[in-house]
Amino acid sequence: MNERASTSRRDYHVNPSMSSSSSDESTASSPNIKHIRNLSFTPRKSVTGGGTSKITDLRAHIGSEMDGEFVICDVDKFMEHYLPFVPSENHVKSCVETKLKPSGLMDKSTTSVFTAFRDTPVINKEVVGQRTEMEIYAPLEEIAKEIAEFDHPDKARTRNKFSYRNVPFDTIKSDIHGSNHKVDACFTTDEAISEKDRRLSTWGMAVPVEQKVATTEEKLIDNNQKILSANVQIMNDDTRRMFTFGITIEADQMTLWYHSRSHSAVSKSFNFVKDPERLIKVFMSFLFATEVELGYNPMVERRSDGKHIYRILQADKKTFRFYRTVKLISGYRTNNITGRMPRVWLVESYDPVTQKVGEKLVLKDVWLDSNAATERQIQNSIFEDIEAFGDGEAPSDSPGLSAIWSERKDLIRSRDYQQLFLTIKDDYADGVVSKTIAPGAQRKQRLFSSPMKAYTSKQTATRPEAGQSHPIHSAVAEDLYRAYEPKKQYWVVFKEVCRSVGELRTLGEFIDVIQQAHIALQLLYCAGWVHRDISSGNILAYRQDLNDAKIPWGGKLMDLEYAKKFPLPEDYEAAVDPKTGTPFFMASEILAKTPLYHPGTTAPQRAASPNMFKPKPTIEQTEANITGPPMAPVVHNFLHDLESLWWLILWTLTSRIQDPKCKNWLALVFQNITDLSSKRRRCFEYPIENKLSRFLPEALAPFAHPLDLLRDEMFQSYLKRELAGDVRNVDSYATIHRQVGWFLDAVQAFPTDQWRAYLLHEDPTNRAKSSVKDSKAAGTQVPGPIKVKAKRGPEQNPNLEEQGRTGSTHQGGKKSRKDQ
């Protein structure tokens, strides 16, 4: 292979001088994203969270979820494209002559072979029968040591701090519980070994290595699952990691692995016994690579106390702002490391010189498709469109929008509407871009073909999952089209420290915040924007003092990365509109990828008015056969956002009460799958008032009828709009938007106030608890929910009995290396 510059053809960059970061004082204009066509969105794939389940229990499940994320390519192409750099043939020859032959590790004959690997381990069965795989592959440590001492002619290539070590009996230390697995060897650093217990850690392990002597299909799958699970744990645990590498060895065959947020790659195997030069190139690349080339983000520093320092370049391209993590607000241990991988931290401004800390803020760390607009860019565009709507005259050609304009123009003109969204202080978008797929690489499936094991995700006790309803049900196998779009890492810092709506403890607080979230959605509608990802993690509750119960909660809508203009050009819509959102709250048409309209559906007729959601109105229904134009492809529209809000209300009312029958029903309706199940379809298309009446306690009984009526209004709105050919008609969504507002007004006007104080049972998918401490990375205790004294006793409000409950603990016995 010809020698090439060590940093040539890199498909990622960390280039502070090119940052588009801007401070809150910046007035940088937003890009014109309103007319961008054929934006490349990577479709959402349903993923599951690992909780504190052991890695050894999750390996088959991780392999199943990630099976469609891999590409395979020729080993030389892999090395050229993915490795930090590829040493030249001259450098390899010099290393052999000056280090490996003099040390006796390579044969001094004209044919260079490793003296420890003259024979294939599988062929030499007598050796295999007498020695373990750890003993057979132990010489790789000495080989790596001699390579590390090579005097590299390229002065830009200096020896890094990582060393190859055989560690078959060391359990990996992690800030996340469940890390009970081991690796056979790894490239690691002394910093990765705990001084207290001498254990390895995920944050110092640059490249894990798994070894097998046997080459049976079962053993190969086991090896693949182990290296994958090790890398998944590293990417979940170490905030700094942009990507990771891995090595598997089966007999005399070596395979290279690469994992990023956009895709994973695996090389074809090569025989390191017969082709030792390739092994030398691989080891030299890892031993003389920079930390950035090994996947460590230089803009994030991990402190000895487990906290992280983020530095964000300012608009002047010279100065930085520093933010130190306090605790994890929102995040989960995912079983699939491709995707957005959002982490939301409570941070404090920090001066590295004086070590003084300042105001508390929120930092979101997320991976976006490389050509996607950032949250700041989208928010600026949305604000421009909202103000253009409210500052102008009432739309004369749109009665529905005109009515909303009358209701919201004062809110818009005063600019108070901006309080419904988070205030952006800083952001950083040009730090890291993941690699593209190697030339000639092909999608590879069935690397992990053993049956997926069922598991129970236990409560997270260390660095808890927080701030979002992340499904814990097992996902069904999916084979989505994957464009493997390169991703960029994006950080955005918000001024407001909030709590997710899923963490609110009383129903009154929840409805207050939902009502304000609907106003935010209504303003997006007026501006011509669809949010496309309404969930409990994206609707936030805010007040200046989170622990002062006297201050009412304000609602804020966040996570605008998937928002887009509606309607988009018809040719874009006909081409692709990938599913986005959280499966629990996705709209029915988005899950089904087909309109709910079909010929012959009954369409009841009733007049829309603010009084329609009062308890038990008289509703006259007429039946009509619906026929209409051919169905168009489903694209996210305004009603889909509203339906997601309805599902969130239903989920909260039913999942956060104590009723075994209700829980059984919930398990069938709310599933972590990106398809429309028959139970979920039936829940939305048919009356549920009687069912809700059986589930809901007395204090919440008034919700059953108006919630069911709103469901029916939404369903009929879908049908009528499709029948009339009005899917692209923005004005046709005004009535249903106003009806959602009327529904929330009607709830607030219920005659009894007992529902407001009703204490909600903890969200079963949100395991942040006041009695559970964060990890060292979090550094502090998770703030407990505000305790509100209910006006009725436990017999009417059974959730009162749940106060003071504690989290479960996780204990695991020791296992042999064979089992782990």
Side-chain angles (χ1 to χ4, degrees), residues 739-759:
Q739 287 175 321
V740 173
W742 297 340
F743 162 78
L744 292 168
D745 287 340
V747 168
Q748 295 283 19
F750 282 169
T752 174
D753 62 353
Q754 293 173 349
W755 70 270
R756 289 194 59 84
Y758 192 87
L759 197 64

Side-chain angles (χ1 to χ4, degrees), residues 557-588:
L557 188 63
M558 71 168 293
D559 210 2
L560 302 176
E561 287 100 340
Y562 280 99
K564 66 180 181 181
K565 291 287 288 183
F566 181 90
L568 286 174
E570 291 189 43
D571 54 351
Y572 169 84
E573 294 175 353
V576 60
D577 190 30
K579 295 179 183 180
T580 57
T582 303
F584 271 27
F585 311 116
M586 277 186 183
S588 302

Side-chain angles (χ1 to χ4, degrees), residues 520-588:
L521 280 178
Q522 195 172 81
L523 294 177
L524 259 67
Y525 161 62
C526 294
W529 286 81
V530 181
H531 186 279
R532 302 172 76 239
D533 192 11
I534 296 300
S535 68
S536 64
N538 293 336
I539 297 176
L540 304 179
Y542 172 74
R543 57 189 178 198
Q544 288 188 336
D545 185 348
L546 294 180
N547 296 314
D548 188 348
K550 296 180 181 179
I551 304 175
W553 290 103
K556 290 185 179 289
L557 188 63
M558 71 168 293
D559 210 2
L560 302 176
E561 287 100 340
Y562 280 99
K564 66 180 181 181
K565 291 287 288 183
F566 181 90
L568 286 174
E570 291 189 43
D571 54 351
Y572 169 84
E573 294 175 353
V576 60
D577 190 30
K579 295 179 183 180
T580 57
T582 303
F584 271 27
F585 311 116
M586 277 186 183
S588 302

Side-chain angles (χ1 to χ4, degrees), residues 39 91 130 142 236 245 280 288 293 298 572 578 603 654 683 695 719 752 775 788:
L39 292 172
H91 291 169
Q130 297 172 4
E142 290 300 316
N236 274 328
F245 295 99
I280 296 171
F288 288 87
E293 291 172 328
Y572 169 84
T654 53
C683 177
F695 294 153
L719 304 182
T752 174
S775 68
V788 180

Side-chain angles (χ1 to χ4, degrees), residues 690-753:
N690 291 338
K691 189 174 293 292
L692 290 178
S693 297
R694 294 197 301 269
F695 294 153
L696 296 178
E698 180 183 348
L700 308 188
F703 280 82
H705 176 74
L707 190 65
D708 187 37
L709 180 57
L710 180 60
R711 172 207 60 77
D712 195 52
E713 286 296 317
M714 288 184 176
F715 178 53
Q716 300 304 330
S717 181
Y718 279 118
L719 304 182
K720 295 172 184 176
R721 186 172 296 101
E722 193 73 42
L723 172 64
D726 279 342
V727 173
R728 295 172 55 84
N729 179 2
V730 174
D731 187 51
S732 70
Y733 297 88
T735 297
I736 189 62
H737 240 296
R738 299 187 73 197
Q739 287 175 321
V740 173
W742 297 340
F743 162 78
L744 292 168
D745 287 340
V747 168
Q748 295 283 19
F750 282 169
T752 174
D753 62 353

Side-chain angles (χ1 to χ4, degrees), residues 120-131:
T120 302
V122 169
I123 295 176
N124 195 338
K125 297 185 181 299
E126 293 184 1
V127 173
V128 175
Q130 297 172 4
R131 301 163 62 196

Side-chain angles (χ1 to χ4, degrees), residues 12-21 242 292 297-299 311 313 317 320 428-433:
Y12 60 89
H13 65 273
V14 179
N15 188 358
S17 65
M18 298 298 290
S19 171
S20 65
S21 166
M242 305 176 291
V292 174
N297 194 328
M299 306 294 282
R311 58 173 179 160
L313 187 68
K317 311 300 184 190
F320 292 87
Y428 183 73
D430 280 348
V432 179
V433 177

Side-chain angles (χ1 to χ4, degrees), residues 10 92 108 222 254 292 386 397 449 458 603 641 720 742 777 786:
R10 296 298 90 196
V92 172
K108 294 183 180 181
D222 181 67
M254 180 173 287
V292 174
I386 289 175
D397 58 345
S449 55
K458 304 177 180 67
D641 283 350
K720 295 172 184 176
W742 297 340
I786 304 301

